[in-house]
Structure formats: structure tokens, C-alpha cells
Amino acid sequence: MLIYIAKRIVYTLPIMLGVTLVCFALVHLAPGDPLIAVLPPDASEQMKQQLMVLYGFDRPYHEQFLRWIWRAVQGDLGGSIATNRPVATEVFKAVGNTLMLSAVATFIGFALGTFFGFVAGYFRDTVIDKSASFLSVVGVSVPHYWLGMVLVIIFSATLGWLPATGAGPGGSDAWAWDWAHVRHIVLPAITMSVIPMGIIARTVRALVAEILSQEFIAGLRAKGLSEFGVFKHVVKNTAPTALAVMGIQLGYLLGGSILIETVFSWPGTGGLLNAAIFQRDLPLLQGTILVLAMFFVILNLIVDVVQTLLDPRIQRS
């Protein structure tokens, strides 16, 4: 097992290097002047050249890339051009908020998706199956931002039950585990959980239906095994694939939550990326994308290891 984990870590290293290279290249190939956020309209060419030297934009791309990687390994992602604050401080604070929101949304989506998937799989080709499948299709098809606005109109503007914006009272971006703050995460988490719920439900439904149709299930029942015992075998065979899908969905939510965070004014990486793109803040944009990409790679590594623990056949293959 330890050898398998070591191999997976070694395989992950070139992926990380490739991710950093792609991140650096895409950001620098984008059109626009990276110093537009700090240069006044009447800035002289001399001032522009001084700032280029200060931020290292006067160096060749390969030197900029190596310097950026070396500093990033040491935890230094540079300074924001627009705010002049350390990128690492802003990014990790925003990533923490996004990670918490994505984890809550993934938990809700995984719980409901697994439930609907098992129900549909056990009662396949019935009204229950069709109803659960219909809900999963609707969940995958409904646009995030539209659902978010609808929930805000119903539960915030009309009923007044839940707040619509911010991560805390008064639009605060500081988080605490109390009801005043938890209320702010309910609507965005439910909105983000709809698509993962639909994907997981469809995946689990297909797995359960396939497993129940196999011969070993009929053999277990013929030997007198209880339905609960059969259910445990179904869960054991479904878990690795369902876990992999959940890991992918969590990674997707980490990087694809910009619209939800904009609708609910959630202080996460979505708002940070939005500001960095419009302000052409290259250090902030690079740092945010890099941290999110590393989270996704590490998350997939963890899912691979957990899958192997659940199903040792993966290791042997």
C-alpha cells in the first residue's frame, strides 16, 4: 500500500509542474497591459519602465517563470498590483471561504444524490425511478446563477428567512460557527449542490442497477442473505466510483463557483478571480489559479488513495 501511495505521489509531481506552466503561460498570453491598474493616465514611459523592472515584467518569460516557481515553493506568491498586499494572504483567505462553501455544497449534493440514486436503482423502471431520474436531470440542467437568484427572491426578499449576501452579519467576510454566520451559507450551498446532486444521483443509479442485475446478487439471495446484507454488498461495490465522482465535483466547485459567489457576494476565490481579471492583476490571478489547481490535483490524489483503501483491486490493476 505504501509503495502504491509513493507511486501516486511521484506521478503527481509532473502534473503539478505542468499545471504551473499552463497557468503561467495562459495568464501572460492574455492581451492587455498588466500595469494598467497602477499607472495613472498621464504616466510617463520612464515610470512605466520602472514599474516593469519592479514587478519583474522586463525579464524574459522563462526567467519570470523560474522566479515565480521558486518563490511560490517558499510560500511567496508575490504582491498584488492593484492593492499592494501579499497575494498569499488574500488567496488563502478567499480559498478558505470557497473551500468551506464547496465542502458544504458537496456534502449536501453527495447525500441527496446518493439517496436518490439508490432509490432509483432499487426501484428501476418504476414511477419512483422515473421521478428520481427526473429530479437528477433537472438538477444538472438548471443554471446555477438563475437558481441562486430565484432562491434569493423567495427566501430572502419575499419570506425574509435567510440573508442574501456576505458570509456574516453586515456583509462581513469573517467566518464563525454560529447561527448568525451559518444562515449566510445556506442559500449559496444549496444552489451549488444542485448540479453535483444530479450527477451523483445518475451515476449511483446506473451503478446500483448494474450491480443488482449481476449473478452474484442472485446467488447471495439464493443463499438466504438478508436484504440488508445484499445492500451492504451493493454499497461496497458502488462506493469507489461514487467517491471518485464526488472528488471531481468538489474540485469543479472549487474552481467553478465564480457565478455563485458573485450572486451571493460570497468572499471567496470567485470574487477574487473576477477582480483580478478586470484589474489585470497578474500576480493575484496567477496565485489564485495556481492554488486552486494544486487543490484539485491533491484532491484527486487523496481520492485515488481512498479508493484503493475501499477496493484493493485498484492497487493490483
Side-chain angles (χ1 to χ4, degrees):
M1 183 64 190
L2 293 178
I3 296 176
Y4 174 81
I5 295 175
K7 287 182 179 179
R8 296 303 305 171
I9 293 175
V10 171
Y11 294 156
T12 302
L13 295 179
I15 297 176
M16 289 183 173
L17 180 60
V19 166
T20 58
L21 181 60
V22 171
C23 171
F24 180 85
L26 289 178
V27 170
H28 278 76
L29 288 174
D33 188 350
L35 298 177
I36 193 172
V38 292
L39 281 173
D42 57 345
S44 63
E45 186 64 26
Q46 181 181 2
M47 179 184 296
K48 183 177 180 179
Q49 290 300 323
Q50 289 176 348
L51 286 176
M52 292 283 285
V53 173
L54 177 63
Y55 287 102
F57 295 140
D58 62 320
R59 299 174 180 269
Y61 283 144
H62 68 277
E63 289 189 21
Q64 293 186 45
F65 175 70
L66 293 176
R67 288 185 62 195
W68 178 58
I69 289 296
W70 176 246
R71 292 167 61 181
V73 170
Q74 302 177 62
D76 181 11
L77 298 177
S80 170
I81 296 177
T83 64
N84 204 30
R85 291 195 292 264
V87 170
T89 302
E90 297 196 25
V91 169
F92 284 108
K93 181 178 181 181
V95 166
N97 290 331
T98 296
L99 184 61
M100 178 176 56
L101 177 60
S102 301
V104 173
T106 303
F107 174 79
I108 296 173
F110 185 75
L112 294 179
T114 302
F115 173 76
F116 288 135
F118 268 98
V119 169
Y122 263 91
F123 298 94
R124 59 187 181 279
D125 299 328
T126 64
V127 175
I128 297 176
D129 177 21
K130 293 178 180 179
S131 300
S133 299
F134 174 76
L135 288 176
S136 65
V137 171
V138 171
V140 174
S141 305
V142 171
H144 268 167
Y145 60 90
W146 178 84
L147 178 61
M149 290 186 289
V150 170
L151 292 180
V152 167
I153 292 173
I154 296 175
F155 294 101
S156 182
T158 304
L159 299 176
W161 291 354
L162 296 168
T165 60
S172 171
D173 60 354
W175 179 260
W177 286 104
D178 53 42
W179 177 239
H181 288 78
V182 171
R183 292 174 70 245
H184 286 75
I185 203 173
V186 173
L187 290 182
I190 291 176
T191 304
M192 288 182 68
S193 69
V194 171
I195 288 181
M197 180 198 69
I199 293 175
I200 293 171
R202 295 173 67 180
T203 303
V204 172
R205 188 266 178 201
L207 289 170
V208 171
E210 180 184 358
I211 292 169
L212 288 175
S213 64
Q214 293 183 5
E215 294 182 358
F216 82 94
I217 294 294
L220 292 175
R221 286 171 172 163
K223 291 180 179 180
L225 188 66
S226 65
E227 281 301 318
F228 181 72
V230 173
F231 175 76
K232 289 195 295 184
H233 280 275
V234 174
V235 171
K236 184 177 180 180
N237 285 272
T238 305
T241 303
L243 180 64
V245 174
M246 184 189 72
I248 293 173
Q249 290 306 306
L250 177 57
Y252 167 77
L253 292 181
L254 283 173
S257 59
I258 183 169
L259 291 177
I260 300 301
E261 293 183 358
T262 301
V263 170
F264 292 98
S265 298
W266 186 264
T269 55
L272 208 60
L273 283 172
N274 191 39
I277 291 170
F278 281 101
Q279 295 174 344
R280 185 64 180 167
D281 194 338
L282 286 189
L284 183 60
L285 185 60
Q286 283 179 325
T288 307
I289 295 175
L290 178 65
V291 172
L292 289 177
M294 291 300 108
F295 262 109
F296 190 82
V297 173
I298 294 172
L299 181 63
N300 276 275
L301 175 63
I302 295 173
V303 169
D304 284 343
V305 174
V306 176
Q307 273 187 295
T308 307
L309 293 174
L310 293 175
D311 189 355
R313 293 175 297 179
I314 297 176
Q315 180 181 348
R316 291 196 297 269
S317 62

